[in-house]
Amino acid sequence: MKLTKMFRASATALCCLLALISCRQGPDAASGPLAPVDVKVVDHLVAVLGHESCVLELVDPASGEKVKSIRLAQPPNGMAVDGATAYVAEGGPRGAVEVVDLESGALKRSFPAGHTPMSPVVRGGKLYVACRFDSRVLEMDAATGTVLDSWNVPREPVALAVSPDGRKIWAAGHLPAGAADGDFTAAALTLVEDGKAVHFPLSNGTQGVRGMAISPDGRYLAVAHVLSRYQVPTTQLDRGWMNTNAVTVIDTDDPDKPHPVLLDDPDAGAANPWGVSFSGDGGKLFVTHAGTHELSVIDFPALLERMKREGRSNEPVSERLGFLHGLRTRIALPLNGPRAVASDGENVYVAGYFSDSLAEVSLKDACKSRAIPLNGQFRPSREKLGERYFNDASHCFQGWQSCATCHPDGRVDGLNWDLLNDGMGNPKNTRTMFLSHRTSPVMTLGVRASAEVAVTAGFVHIQFLEPSGELAECVNAYLKNMKEVPSPFLVAHNPSKQQTGGEGCAQCHAPGVERGALSESARRGREVFKTAGCVRCHPHPYFTTKELVATGTATGLDEGKSVLVPSLAEVWRTAPYLHDGRAKTIREAITTCNPGDIRGKTSSLNNRELEDLINYVQSL
């Protein structure tokens, strides 16, 4: 018996040693979800990034075999491939770019790259990275990682494109950056040329931007996004009444004239467009529909010709369903949650985020598709199923939208909506679902007793579908367990102290998430938060009393009504603010939108106290 135990112990130790010296070979993906977020064609292989498994895998599409699995230091968000070298943007608050040799699997270098680096592009010896939650774009030396320049982007850049000559850098912001109570609100593109950044808003109602690509000749941009009809009551879904789904085509020589083209058919939505790519010759444009699990293959020259022939300023293409008729092949994919897309000229490869698989679509054989499993042994938890259902528009009438359409990543879309749960004619700003299950009641006027009730009502009155018990239960499990994204205003390289029950603990609303420490200014601001009376309505740990309070922010048909005190956890990413989204920034919410000090005594604060208070609130 003793010898058997000794043998087992020795074998275990040997396995551990081999694991340590295995030169970055990845873990068994079957132990958890792969969650592929990017795909690239490398010679005859397909490179796949697994976000949750933290691996870069090389797959032979002919056999479906994994040729190599390379372990990464942090969850990857995107990659650029230059020859046999991959530049992998990964991580959150302490994001980095790992430079990986695809032949050996070895790490060459690692560069710090801001908060949640995404969509890296390599061009002419330079590396460009979108730092999503810093709202910045970095230009780096690809060999050394030295930052050469950086530029501000209006809000959450999630996609980059660089012209073939490297002279024009394009960044796509994920969400609108302005107030929501006006006649126009939209996400924007940023063009950097000759070192100067200029911002171009997309069409009114543009939100949920995900992917962008530049044509091989550098002449055109294609941007995938949701196009929301937020100015009408949500009484129906037919013909894209609430949300339509678009790819906007932009002539890079005339960027202030975005030309959105609807991807939906009159009776079949194409929810949540995500990945965008051009064929090598520019003849085809590929767009994935993450909500309806489809791929659109568009004849791009024919699209340009139709846009030129039929486009009229008084009848924008964005309002015309069926515009792509005869120009596009719409393909149902054998996977769930298609996001990233790439092509080798003969086939298109699409990664299924929730199915842990690839789809290969033949461009020469009537666009026939086949599935390539990447993680066949994995079985999702109820929480993971809930995330899948939350993003799945097949649980919506005609596939027009999913829960994630108005709540991307479970948060906000930056728009006001006139929902029917509390009357008609009283639009309100979209609320985040983070912590909603711990801060009941919910909805701005508290009309739902709990988040569980609101989830079921949302399927019925917004998706126009009666949810099954499992569907609602799984979505609730996902929302209850959403992880906080630490604020970019925290000092990321200096982790905060371990979670405690003390009043100063900022981790209690997200146990297990490592947060950076408060800056010196934010620490002073925490005291101002108390003395100004903010803490009365926003106490620790969820920074809300969960009560209805007369704040003076309700207008129109809601004027005089009390509103539910929102949680300030993650408030840095949920702009715009207040009942009707009138405040573009936290500063405006605290100052110009707080007449009579009705929501805290802020009018008497000096400049330093005000800055400290803002820095603290933005750190929550």
Side-chain angles (χ1 to χ4, degrees):
M1 181 66 71
K2 289 183 179 180
L3 287 174
T4 302
K5 289 183 177 179
M6 289 176 62
F7 177 77
R8 288 175 177 171
S10 299
T12 300
L14 178 60
C15 289
C16 291
L17 178 61
L18 290 173
L20 287 172
I21 62 175
S22 61
C23 190
R24 302 175 61 81
Q25 294 305 302
D28 182 5
S31 62
L34 184 70
V37 291
D38 203 356
V39 57
K40 295 287 189 292
V41 176
V42 183
D43 294 329
H44 66 286
L45 302 178
V46 179
V48 181
L49 278 185
H51 178 76
E52 295 204 20
S53 57
C54 296
V55 294
L56 191 167
E57 295 189 332
L58 294 176
V59 179
D60 182 350
S63 65
E65 296 294 322
K66 295 179 184 177
V67 176
K68 189 169 297 181
S69 186
I70 303 168
R71 184 181 297 116
L72 302 169
Q74 301 186 76
N77 308 313
M79 65 178 161
V81 175
D82 185 15
T85 301
Y87 296 80
V88 183
E90 57 189 45
R94 290 183 286 178
V97 173
E98 280 200 275
V99 186
V100 179
D101 187 316
L102 293 175
E103 293 181 351
S104 67
L107 169 67
K108 291 182 175 181
R109 294 173 294 279
S110 181
F111 312 140
H115 196 316
T116 312
M118 301 184 70
S119 190
V121 177
V122 178
R123 191 80 79 233
K126 294 180 179 179
L127 171 66
Y128 302 92
V129 181
C131 303
R132 178 176 178 180
F133 293 123
D134 290 327
S135 289
R136 292 183 70 77
V137 171
L138 300 181
E139 179 186 69
M140 311 167 76
D141 184 294
T144 66
T146 302
V147 175
L148 306 174
D149 212 336
S150 66
W151 302 276
N152 291 327
V153 177
R155 186 173 185 180
E156 295 185 32
V158 293
L160 292 182
V162 181
S163 61
D165 60 9
R167 294 184 59 187
K168 293 182 178 181
I169 306 159
W170 296 90
H174 178 50
L175 296 174
D181 62 339
D183 294 328
F184 185 94
T185 182
L189 300 183
T190 297
L191 166 63
V192 178
E193 190 173 15
D194 297 327
K196 297 180 180 179
V198 181
H199 311 302
F200 299 94
L202 292 166
S203 300
N204 193 19
T206 296
Q207 58 95 358
V209 176
R210 290 294 186 179
M212 177 170 62
I214 193 165
S215 60
D217 61 3
R219 177 67 187 275
Y220 295 98
L221 280 177
V223 187
H225 60 88
V226 175
L227 195 58
S228 295
R229 314 300 179 178
Y230 65 95
Q231 293 173 319
V232 296
T234 57
T235 55
Q236 61 181 6
L237 291 177
D238 303 69
R239 301 183 67 83
W241 182 268
M242 278 186 66
N243 285 297
T244 48
N245 303 279
V247 58
T248 285
V249 177
I250 294 175
D251 185 332
T252 59
D253 291 333
D254 197 10
D256 59 349
K257 295 180 180 179
H259 196 128
V261 177
L262 294 191
L263 297 160
D264 315 286
D265 289 316
D267 59 354
N272 305 345
W274 199 293
V276 188
S277 180
F278 282 93
S279 60
D281 61 2
K284 295 286 190 293
L285 175 64
F286 310 112
V287 184
T288 62
H289 310 307
T292 52
H293 323 301
E294 296 171 300
L295 171 70
S296 281
V297 179
I298 302 170
D299 184 331
F300 191 64
L303 172 60
L304 294 176
E305 179 60 31
R306 183 171 292 182
M307 288 165 52
K308 180 180 178 181
R309 185 176 66 250
E310 298 189 24
R312 294 183 288 274
S313 59
N314 62 343
E315 188 184 353
V317 174
S318 60
E319 300 292 340
R320 295 163 60 188
L321 293 165
F323 183 79
L324 286 174
H325 180 70
L327 306 181
R328 177 265 297 272
T329 302
R330 187 170 174 176
I331 304 161
L333 296 171
L335 47 69
N336 190 287
R339 296 187 176 183
V341 57
S343 174
D344 61 4
E346 295 185 357
N347 299 295
V348 182
Y349 298 96
V350 182
Y353 182 81
F354 292 110
S355 56
D356 278 4
S357 61
L358 285 175
E360 179 187 72
V361 179
S362 173
L363 294 175
K364 295 186 176 181
D365 189 12
C367 288
K368 290 183 179 179
S369 63
R370 70 182 181 95
I372 303 175
L374 299 174
N375 191 12
Q377 302 303 312
F378 173 68
R379 295 295 178 267
S381 64
R382 291 177 67 79
E383 177 183 334
K384 199 64 186 176
L385 280 174
E387 184 182 3
R388 176 190 293 190
Y389 298 152
F390 190 84
N391 285 270
D392 194 339
S394 65
H395 301 294
C396 173
F397 174 71
Q398 293 186 344
W400 290 103
Q401 58 197 31
S402 70
C403 305
T405 301
C406 295
H407 295 280
D409 304 316
R411 272 69 176 191
V412 305
D413 60 7
L415 302 175
N416 284 354
W417 286 99
D418 189 359
L419 305 181
L420 304 185
N421 52 35
D422 53 9
M424 190 183 299
N426 51 349
K428 303 172 187 65
N429 195 224
T430 301
R431 284 200 166 200
T432 179
M433 293 187 139
F434 179 59
L435 293 183
S436 58
H437 283 72
R438 299 187 228 175
T439 55
S440 299
V442 296
M443 316 301 286
T444 302
L445 298 180
V447 297
R448 303 294 185 208
S450 68
E452 287 83 356
V453 172
V455 165
T456 298
F459 276 108
V460 173
H461 300 295
I462 300 176
Q463 308 286 71
F464 288 63
L465 172 120
E466 189 73 39
S468 67
E470 178 187 280
L471 177 61
E473 289 170 9
C474 289
V475 169
N476 282 312
Y478 160 61
L479 295 174
K480 286 178 182 178
N481 292 284
M482 286 171 59
K483 297 300 183 184
E484 175 194 16
V485 175
S487 168
F489 295 92
L490 293 165
V491 183
H493 64 271
N494 183 18
S496 61
K497 295 180 180 179
Q498 292 296 316
Q499 178 180 337
T500 70
E503 184 178 324
C505 172
Q507 285 186 296
C508 293
H509 53 265
V513 175
E514 183 180 279
R515 308 175 85 248
L518 294 175
S519 66
E520 182 178 345
S521 171
R523 287 198 298 272
R524 294 194 302 265
R526 182 169 56 194
E527 299 307 310
V528 178
F529 190 78
K530 298 174 185 176
T531 58
C534 306
V535 72
R536 284 198 294 271
C537 289
H538 300 284
H540 180 272
Y542 299 127
F543 301 96
T544 173
T545 57
K546 311 177 191 178
E547 297 175 349
L548 291 165
V549 176
T551 62
T553 59
T555 57
L557 297 180
D558 289 338
E559 187 171 359
K561 293 182 180 179
S562 295
V563 301
L564 192 65
V565 175
S567 169
L568 294 184
E570 254 195 12
V571 71
W572 59 271
R573 70 177 295 188
T574 58
Y577 304 105
L578 305 181
H579 180 74
D580 58 357
R582 73 182 71 174
K584 176 181 177 180
T585 63
I586 291 292
R587 179 183 295 276
E588 289 182 7
I590 290 174
T591 57
T592 56
C593 295
N594 186 28
D597 286 344
I598 193 170
R599 299 189 322 281
K601 298 178 181 179
T602 59
S603 62
S604 60
L605 299 178
N606 60 39
N607 289 337
R608 174 173 165 169
E609 290 170 330
L610 182 60
E611 289 297 326
D612 291 343
L613 176 59
I614 292 170
N615 287 336
Y616 173 65
V617 171
Q618 291 185 141
S619 298
L620 296 175

